[in-house]
Amino acid sequence: MRAVLLTGHGGLDRLEVVQRHPCPSPAAGEVLVRVGACAINATDVNTRVGWYARDDDNGAWDEPLRFPRVQGADVCGEVVAVGQSLPAATLAPALAVGDRVMVDPWLRNRDHPERLDGCGYVGSEIDGGYAEYLVVPMENAHPVHAALSDAELASFATSSGTALNMLERVGLRAGETVLVTGASGGVGTALVHIARLFGATVVAVTTAEKAERVLAEGAHVVLDRAQPLAPQLSAARGARTVDVVADVVGGAQWGEAIDLLRRGGRYVVSGALAGAVVPLDLRTLYLNDLTMFGATVMPPGLFARLVGMVERGELAPSIAAIYRFSEVRQAHEAFARKEHVGKLILRGWE
């Protein structure tokens, strides 16, 4: 099969398009999926450059990353072969050859799916969707019935799943106000969409150049990230605080966002695009009775709920551009420039 191989940590030259890579076969409890489209997300780029690395590892989630690796977690495709069922695979939906599926990117302990330790990620711990075919556990392939293209369906998995996880973990309620950082990216636009669906008021942070596009995605107010946030919020909303901060950026403006939280407010983070190490004055945390959440692994059942939201038309795709798989280097380069609003998608080889 044709595939894009990540040959090691580094630059774009580490992404190699090959014409004859071994096609996987499904073992018991697995399915083989023909990839229709695969979205790019920050994890792909972070893994390639080794951003997750610390002194004692090589940049993988848990176990050392093995090369070559086929990246790509955000897959929509068609089931073409089903391995023998396992009695333990009780969470697996009924699957048949020909089913169109969205792939849950999180790999869990089949016997204890609620455990966070030992979780893996499609495209990191196993080969992913930058290829014509991939194999995933049965419980990771969710049949989907929607009048959307494969590219549109591929746009939801990581970004919308992450956003839904963040907002559910922080307990966002109707009538509350949520500040969304990085509101033009995949997770950011999904946070805007889902927060609106929850009945919240969305205050989005982005660049001035992207303000109109983020408003079109559904934000009620847009703040310019290049300017102090507090006076902009006060001028736009007549308020000095928000109930929730949903952060995917971190970096130098982190403290400003935290200072906007009301007493008893909640903060949830699932990214650090502008910098992972931030200063925290513990007095801000405890004197204001703040609650902080990290959100990475989607809990069991969340992806099925996400697919249901897509099928009911509650979520709309936000696609900035579509590239061929052979243009993967250009797509990664465009992702790094961060000039887009929404998702970048890989689809087709010619």
Side-chain angles (χ1 to χ4, degrees):
M1 67 176 182
R2 290 172 288 191
V4 178
L5 302 184
L6 178 65
T7 60
H9 294 304
L12 297 171
D13 60 313
R14 292 294 193 169
L15 293 170
E16 181 182 349
V17 179
V18 298
Q19 300 298 315
R20 295 185 60 81
H21 187 67
C23 185
S25 298
E30 297 179 335
V31 292
L32 178 67
V33 176
R34 180 188 293 117
V35 176
C38 183
I40 292 174
N41 65 67
T43 299
D44 299 343
V45 177
N46 291 342
T47 297
R48 171 173 58 79
V49 302
W51 186 83
Y52 297 110
R54 296 191 177 202
D55 293 339
D56 57 349
D57 62 44
N58 79 333
W61 291 104
D62 196 1
E63 298 296 326
L65 200 65
R66 298 179 181 180
F67 299 108
R69 174 62 74 212
V70 178
Q71 292 190 282
D74 299 357
V75 177
C76 177
E78 178 186 352
V79 173
V80 293
V82 179
Q84 180 182 356
S85 296
L86 290 176
T90 55
L91 293 180
L95 293 167
V97 171
D99 284 346
R100 188 158 72 143
V101 294
M102 291 170 58
V103 172
D104 180 348
W106 283 103
L107 306 167
R108 303 174 182 85
N109 182 310
R110 180 166 275 154
D111 296 323
H112 301 282
E114 75 285 353
R115 291 182 180 174
L116 295 179
D117 57 307
C119 286
Y121 193 68
V122 175
S124 180
E125 278 62 51
I126 66 171
D127 283 342
Y130 286 14
E132 290 186 281
Y133 299 91
L134 85 159
V135 162
V136 294
M138 288 178 175
E139 57 266 36
N140 285 70
H142 291 253
V144 57
H145 306 282
L148 297 173
S149 68
D150 288 349
E152 290 171 323
L153 290 173
S155 71
F156 294 110
T158 293
S159 292
S160 295
T162 297
L164 181 60
N165 186 26
M166 292 173 72
L167 297 181
E168 287 194 349
R169 190 162 295 188
V170 83
L172 182 68
R173 299 183 290 270
E176 292 191 312
T177 298
V178 55
L179 181 83
V180 175
T181 68
S184 64
V187 177
T189 54
L191 282 166
V192 172
H193 297 166
I194 297 173
R196 284 289 302 253
L197 189 64
F198 281 14
T201 296
V202 181
V203 178
V205 182
T206 188
T207 63
E209 294 78 14
K210 297 177 181 177
E212 290 301 321
R213 285 178 284 173
V214 172
L215 284 170
E217 293 290 339
H220 294 89
V221 175
V222 172
L223 308 184
D224 183 354
R225 74 177 190 192
Q227 303 297 326
L229 299 181
Q232 294 184 78
L233 177 65
S234 181
R237 296 282 301 163
R240 291 186 172 186
T241 62
V242 298
D243 301 290
V244 170
V245 170
D247 188 18
V248 296
V249 173
Q253 207 165 44
W254 185 85
E256 286 189 63
I258 293 298
D259 286 342
L260 292 178
L261 282 170
R262 64 166 174 82
R263 175 162 287 175
R266 292 100 69 203
Y267 168 87
V268 61
V269 61
S270 190
L273 298 173
V277 180
V278 295
L280 171 62
D281 185 333
L282 290 175
R283 292 168 295 186
T284 300
L285 177 61
Y286 77 82
L287 290 175
N288 290 294
D289 290 291
L290 303 181
T291 306
M292 294 188 168
F293 298 84
T296 295
V297 180
M298 301 178 202
L302 184 143
F303 196 82
R305 296 201 302 276
L306 175 66
V307 172
M309 294 165 72
V310 171
E311 290 181 325
R312 293 189 297 273
E314 295 172 355
L315 296 178
S318 180
I319 296 177
I322 296 177
Y323 294 82
R324 294 186 295 273
F325 282 94
S326 58
E327 299 172 319
V328 63
R329 292 184 181 180
Q330 294 96 307
H332 269 234
E333 188 174 35
F335 189 97
R337 288 198 302 268
K338 302 192 183 304
E339 297 172 352
H340 58 286
V341 173
K343 295 291 292 184
L344 303 181
I345 309 291
L346 298 174
R347 183 191 64 192
W349 290 85
E350 303 299 339

